[in-house]
Amino acid sequence: MENLFRLVDHEDFLSRRCIWVNGPVIVGAGPSGLATAACLRDQGVPFVMLERAECIASLWQKRTYDRLKLHLPKQFCQLPKLPFPEDFPEYPTKRQFIQYLESYAEKFEINPRFNECVQSARYDETSGLWRVKTASSAGSTKTEFEYICRWLVVATGENAERVMPDIEGLADFGGEVIHACDYKSGEKYKGKKVLVVGCGNSGMELSLDLSNHNASPSMVVRSSVHLLPREILGKSTFELATLMMKWLPLWLVDKILLILAWFILGNTESYGLKRPSMGPLALKNTMGKTPVLDIAELINGEKLDIDAIVLATGYRSNVPSWLQESEFFSVNGFPKAPFPHGWKGNAGLYAVGFTRRGLSGASSDAMRIAQDIGKVWKEETKQQKKRTTACHRRCISQF
């Protein structure tokens, strides 16, 4: 607590409401933040969770399309200490996943402070504590807070902000232009010609959804891409790859996956989709690019009159915009150290949800973070109890 009083010397200490947090501050109430909070709860460590939106998992609730399902089987997407309900399908829907997250938050008594957007976070060398400044926009009143804590967990994830490409002539286009995060259903595009920019999982699924709603989608493919079947011989491709990697080197697993994909999908270059020279798993591990696990019928190389454009150009981390730190995080908002070493920095700084390995990677980091903080917390709590007991005995002996 004496470290806290050292902060009084700073000019803006009294310019906003200051809150001491007896435990870590978690920034972000998405799946990564919820997983970390649940694991901390299991360790008996108190925490405060900050979320800029008015709900948990705002990306899933507000910025995803209606037909979205988990791309991997549910056993690879469940968070620590709570499996999916048995009656959920192998690939839960968007609504089912949100329902699971809400029940997860309820079970572990996770109550984020909503509508609090982190403006900045920096480590105070003088006090040895983190200072996290927020602006709360609840209602018509704007309130500023400053949270003082020993540990800071960055859980804003890989997809905090949309990527809007700078495309020459786009401003002069007379039709509708939206990012994929604003797309909900192809119903409103019935009978229209829609250009989808980007061919990741989102771009592919949106093209398929548009086609199912009797729109005419075309796709812009900027670079090479791996297209894999979601299942091979009735088994999840991801599960099959995970199983093979237990005994085979990654390069050989990549070869086998590509051969099987060729037998099932044929030559994808006939659709205008050239495969990268690097295998799908190697590319995922080194560059973070996910293979496409869905299929849409494509048109390539034609000039078309377009009624609307959907930018399926992805998302990026927003960490550099608020975290004043350069040793642990790189300029692209990801930890500098590769998986599995990118979860812990210096001075009580942690990162969860930046592994480029989906929910399973986030869960793994969440457990490590909670164990690391919990170990220190339990040891110091034990020492505090000893000091309290000794003091109590001395007081008794005086009377």
Side-chain angles (χ1 to χ4, degrees), residues 302-359:
E302 298 182 20
K303 287 187 177 180
L304 300 172
D305 291 326
I306 298 299
D307 299 308
I309 297 175
V310 180
L311 301 172
T313 46
Y315 300 86
R316 61 169 170 246
S317 165
N318 70 355
V319 173
S321 69
W322 58 270
L323 181 63
Q324 299 173 15
E325 188 273 345
S326 60
E327 292 183 6
F328 183 46
F329 279 90
S330 61
V331 293
N332 69 352
F334 282 76
K336 293 180 180 179
F339 179 84
H341 307 294
W343 60 276
K344 183 179 181 180
N346 295 321
L349 179 62
Y350 298 89
V352 58
F354 295 89
T355 64
R356 292 190 171 101
R357 282 166 170 75
L359 293 167

Side-chain angles (χ1 to χ4, degrees), residues 16 33 57 122 245 364:
R16 61 183 68 214
R122 70 179 181 86
M245 282 193 293
S364 175

Side-chain angles (χ1 to χ4, degrees), residues 15-57:
S15 65
R16 61 183 68 214
R17 183 178 172 188
C18 186
I19 300 173
W20 166 257
V21 178
N22 192 25
V25 165
I26 303 172
V27 182
S32 299
L34 295 176
T36 306
C39 292
L40 286 169
R41 184 76 74 198
D42 188 62
Q43 292 282 334
V45 180
F47 57 85
V48 166
M49 177 177 283
L50 305 176
E51 169 57 46
R52 64 180 176 178
E54 72 277 8
C55 62
I56 65 168

